[in-house]
Every structure is written in structure tokens, then in C-alpha cells.
Amino acid sequence: METLTKGAFIAALNRMITTFDEQMEALSRMDAAIGDGDHGISMARGFHSVAERLRAVADRDIGTIVEMVGSSLTGVIGGATGPVFGALFTELASQAKGREALDVADLAEAFRRALDAIQAIGQAKVGDKTMVDALAPMVAALERAAGEGVGMDKALEMALRAAEEGRRSTAQMKATKGRARYLGEKSIGHEDPGAASFVLIVRALLEGFRAERNG
Ligand code: ADP
Ligand code: MG
């Protein structure tokens, strides 16, 4: 069975570190349109901290590695993003504790838990124009993939497509959570930066999986 191995996770994290560095300005510009323009800087700062701490835990299990990512993001990023994206990885970590590989059903369960935790923290529902609009359909896609018994590559591709569609759907929404809510109607027409960041994370997972599989 195709699994997401520890090597794939580390490859994915390295991609996230590079991507959030490269996309820093683009993400901050998206945030400037509807928020305070710091989202790219916050994510880049968070993943710089991940980069600094990765080597120290690279020989541990997936749970320990992903737990470090969660605590780095929560610790370094303030505002709304720290607790939200921190919880994403902290919940994945609890599913991956002691594990060297995860299958599609594990991933579906882990991201479901992450969605529940993020909604408990921030009270955002689908339609509020946040990263939840990308995460919720991605979880549904993973659950569908697990139910259909498809392989990891297909499952992650379904997950990425659902997250991208969710990100695009935020353009039509009026923000009611986070700083963007102060703009009300004026937030319509712009995609949500947090949803865009979540898509980058899912894409990195797929790319990390493929890089590891292809050696
Ligand atoms: P801040 O709003 O503190 O400046 P960022 O700019 O880094 O933080 O992040 C903004 C992103 O955080 C938004 O684009 C949105 O996706 C996400 N966000 C804001 N509030 C919530 C919430 N309650 N639940 C989930 N995500 C949220
Ligand atoms: Mg901001």
C-alpha cells in the first residue's frame, strides 16, 4: 500500500520552507487587499523557525517532527495565523505519534481533527472567507478518497484540487472573521490569503510524496 513516509514528510516540509519564502510577498499583497498585509511575512517567519529546528528532530518519528512544526508556527507567528496553522500541524502530530508512515485513512482522520480543532479555536465556518474554506473541502476529498480506497497519489491530488477550488471560492465571499471582516463588502473580489497558504501546504505534501516515491 502507498503510504506517506517520514521521508516524504521531510521532503514536504522542505518544500514548505522554500515556498513560503518565495511566496512571502505575494501572500502579503493578498493580505494587504483585505487585511493588514502581514500574512506572507508571518508564514515565512514561521517556516524559518521550522527550518532552524528541523535537523534536530529529523531522525525522530513523524509525530515528533510535525509537533515541532506546530509549536514553531504557534510560537513564532502571532495574530490569527499562529494558533490556526499551529493547530493544523499539532493535530496531525497526534495522529502521527510514533509512526514512520501514514496511509490515506490516517491522513483523512488527521486533517478532520485539524479542521475540528481550528473551528473550535476560531469559530470560522465554511463561507466566512478563511483558510477553513480550503481545509473543509480538502478533508471531505480525503475522506472520499479513503472510502474509495484510492492510492496516496490520487488521494493527495483530489485533496489539492478540492483545496484549490475552496481557495477560489473565497473570492466571492464577504469576510466575517479575522481582520478582513472590517472591510465587509469590500472584501468581495479578493481571495483569502490564509486559504492560499493552505493550498501551498497541500501542494507541498503532494510534491514531497512524489519526490520520495520517485527517489
Ligand atoms: P492577522 O489576521 O492576525 O493579520 P494573518 O494575516 O497572518 O493574521 O492571517 C490571516 C488569515 O488567517 C486569513 O486569511 C484567514 O485565512 C485566517 N483566519 C483569520 N481568522 C480565522 C479564523 N477565525 N479561523 C480560521 N482562519 C482564520
Ligand atoms: Mg494579516
Side-chain angles (χ1 to χ4, degrees):
M1 180 184 312
E2 271 182 328
T3 56
L4 199 64
T5 61
K6 191 180 103 170
F9 259 103
I10 291 177
L13 284 178
N14 279 318
R15 277 168 168 73
M16 289 176 211
I17 290 164
T18 312
T19 300
F20 281 108
D21 217 44
E22 287 170 358
Q23 299 300 315
M24 180 171 79
E25 282 181 23
L27 289 168
S28 282
R29 253 196 317 274
M30 289 179 79
D31 191 31
I34 60 169
D36 56 358
D38 65 348
H39 182 66
I41 293 166
S42 294
M43 294 303 288
R45 201 192 301 135
F47 277 94
H48 276 165
S49 162
V50 171
E52 279 165 14
R53 295 170 68 191
L54 186 54
R55 197 187 292 266
V57 294
D59 59 347
R60 307 282 297 277
D61 63 288
I62 298 174
T64 305
I65 295 168
V66 179
E67 177 64 48
M68 176 280 287
V69 178
S71 74
S72 294
L73 299 186
T74 309
V76 175
I77 310 175
T81 333
V84 165
F85 283 90
L88 177 66
F89 287 95
T90 306
E91 291 302 316
L92 295 184
S94 69
Q95 183 80 15
K97 212 173 185 157
R99 306 279 296 275
E100 297 288 325
L102 299 179
D103 64 20
V104 174
D106 291 326
L107 272 190
E109 204 177 319
F111 276 96
R112 166 62 64 186
R113 279 203 217 171
L115 173 62
D116 289 346
I118 287 168
Q119 291 190 297
I121 293 167
Q123 307 294 316
K125 300 180 301 296
V126 168
D128 285 344
K129 200 180 182 91
T130 71
M131 59 83 76
V132 168
D133 291 302
L135 172 58
M138 179 270 196
V139 170
L142 277 182
E143 289 175 344
R144 211 163 49 244
E148 290 169 6
V150 306
M152 183 61 75
D153 192 272
K154 179 85 194 300
L156 288 175
E157 217 176 87
M158 288 163 69
L160 177 59
R161 220 172 303 132
E164 281 173 340
E165 231 164 84
R167 181 202 70 209
R168 278 194 292 274
S169 75
T170 62
Q172 314 311 321
M173 295 171 188
K174 189 172 104 180
T176 61
K177 291 283 184 294
R179 290 183 209 276
R181 72 184 184 277
Y182 302 122
L183 264 92
E185 300 286 339
K186 286 193 198 125
S187 67
I188 297 173
H190 302 279
E191 285 185 5
D192 177 67
S197 281
F198 181 70
V199 167
L200 295 177
I201 288 170
V202 181
R203 186 172 300 137
L205 267 182
L206 174 61
E207 288 175 0
F209 169 75
R210 286 185 176 160
E212 183 72 5
R213 183 192 53 187
N214 301 337

